[in-house]
Short mmCIF file of all heavy atoms in Angstrom, two decimals:
data_model
loop_
_atom_site.label_atom_id
_atom_site.label_comp_id
_atom_site.label_asym_id
_atom_site.label_seq_id
_atom_site.Cartn_x
_atom_site.Cartn_y
_atom_site.Cartn_z
N GLY B 206 -45.63 13.38 -11.63
CA GLY B 206 -44.50 12.67 -12.23
C GLY B 206 -43.51 13.66 -12.77
O GLY B 206 -42.33 13.57 -12.51
N ALA B 207 -44.01 14.55 -13.45
CA ALA B 207 -43.15 15.51 -14.09
C ALA B 207 -42.28 16.22 -13.09
O ALA B 207 -41.10 16.42 -13.31
CB ALA B 207 -43.99 16.51 -14.83
N ILE B 208 -42.85 16.50 -12.07
CA ILE B 208 -42.11 17.27 -11.10
C ILE B 208 -40.87 16.57 -10.67
O ILE B 208 -39.88 17.14 -10.34
CB ILE B 208 -42.92 17.40 -9.84
CG1 ILE B 208 -44.21 18.03 -10.23
CG2 ILE B 208 -42.16 18.20 -8.85
CD1 ILE B 208 -45.25 17.74 -9.28
N GLU B 209 -41.02 15.31 -10.70
CA GLU B 209 -39.89 14.56 -10.20
C GLU B 209 -38.67 14.78 -11.02
O GLU B 209 -37.58 14.56 -10.55
CB GLU B 209 -40.24 13.11 -10.20
CG GLU B 209 -41.34 12.92 -9.24
CD GLU B 209 -41.63 11.50 -9.07
OE1 GLU B 209 -40.73 10.71 -9.31
OE2 GLU B 209 -42.75 11.19 -8.72
N SER B 210 -38.92 15.13 -12.21
CA SER B 210 -37.71 15.38 -12.96
C SER B 210 -37.08 16.59 -12.33
O SER B 210 -37.61 17.67 -12.33
CB SER B 210 -38.07 15.71 -14.39
OG SER B 210 -37.28 16.78 -14.80
N PRO B 211 -35.98 16.36 -11.79
CA PRO B 211 -35.36 17.44 -11.06
C PRO B 211 -35.09 18.60 -11.97
O PRO B 211 -35.18 19.75 -11.59
CB PRO B 211 -34.05 16.84 -10.60
CG PRO B 211 -34.01 15.45 -11.12
CD PRO B 211 -35.22 15.18 -11.93
N GLY B 212 -34.79 18.26 -13.10
CA GLY B 212 -34.45 19.31 -14.04
C GLY B 212 -35.58 20.30 -14.10
O GLY B 212 -35.42 21.48 -13.86
N ALA B 213 -36.66 19.75 -14.37
CA ALA B 213 -37.80 20.61 -14.55
C ALA B 213 -37.98 21.49 -13.34
O ALA B 213 -38.05 22.69 -13.42
CB ALA B 213 -39.03 19.77 -14.76
N VAL B 214 -38.01 20.83 -12.30
CA VAL B 214 -38.29 21.57 -11.11
C VAL B 214 -37.31 22.67 -10.90
O VAL B 214 -37.64 23.81 -10.67
CB VAL B 214 -38.18 20.64 -9.92
CG1 VAL B 214 -38.44 21.44 -8.70
CG2 VAL B 214 -39.16 19.53 -10.11
N ARG B 215 -36.12 22.23 -10.98
CA ARG B 215 -35.11 23.21 -10.66
C ARG B 215 -35.21 24.38 -11.60
O ARG B 215 -35.02 25.50 -11.24
CB ARG B 215 -33.74 22.60 -10.77
CG ARG B 215 -33.20 22.39 -9.41
CD ARG B 215 -31.89 21.75 -9.48
NE ARG B 215 -32.02 20.37 -9.14
CZ ARG B 215 -31.85 19.41 -10.00
NH1 ARG B 215 -31.55 19.68 -11.25
NH2 ARG B 215 -31.96 18.18 -9.64
N THR B 216 -35.51 24.04 -12.75
CA THR B 216 -35.61 25.07 -13.71
C THR B 216 -36.49 26.16 -13.21
O THR B 216 -36.13 27.32 -13.16
CB THR B 216 -36.28 24.55 -14.96
OG1 THR B 216 -35.85 23.25 -15.11
CG2 THR B 216 -35.94 25.41 -16.08
N ASP B 217 -37.57 25.72 -12.87
CA ASP B 217 -38.54 26.72 -12.49
C ASP B 217 -37.99 27.66 -11.51
O ASP B 217 -38.15 28.84 -11.58
CB ASP B 217 -39.66 26.07 -11.75
CG ASP B 217 -40.23 25.08 -12.63
OD1 ASP B 217 -39.54 24.46 -13.39
OD2 ASP B 217 -41.32 24.91 -12.62
N THR B 218 -37.42 27.02 -10.59
CA THR B 218 -36.98 27.84 -9.52
C THR B 218 -36.29 29.05 -10.02
O THR B 218 -36.55 30.15 -9.60
CB THR B 218 -35.97 27.07 -8.73
OG1 THR B 218 -35.27 26.31 -9.67
CG2 THR B 218 -36.65 26.23 -7.78
N GLY B 219 -35.37 28.77 -10.82
CA GLY B 219 -34.56 29.88 -11.28
C GLY B 219 -35.41 31.00 -11.80
O GLY B 219 -35.27 32.15 -11.42
N LEU B 220 -36.26 30.61 -12.61
CA LEU B 220 -36.92 31.65 -13.30
C LEU B 220 -37.63 32.59 -12.46
O LEU B 220 -37.62 33.77 -12.66
CB LEU B 220 -37.97 31.06 -14.15
CG LEU B 220 -38.12 29.67 -13.73
CD1 LEU B 220 -39.57 29.44 -13.67
CD2 LEU B 220 -37.39 28.90 -14.68
#
Side-chain angles (χ1 to χ4, degrees):
Chain B
I208 302 157
E209 296 186 25
S210 137
V214 178
R215 254 178 256 112
T216 324
D217 301 35
T218 35
L220 12 136

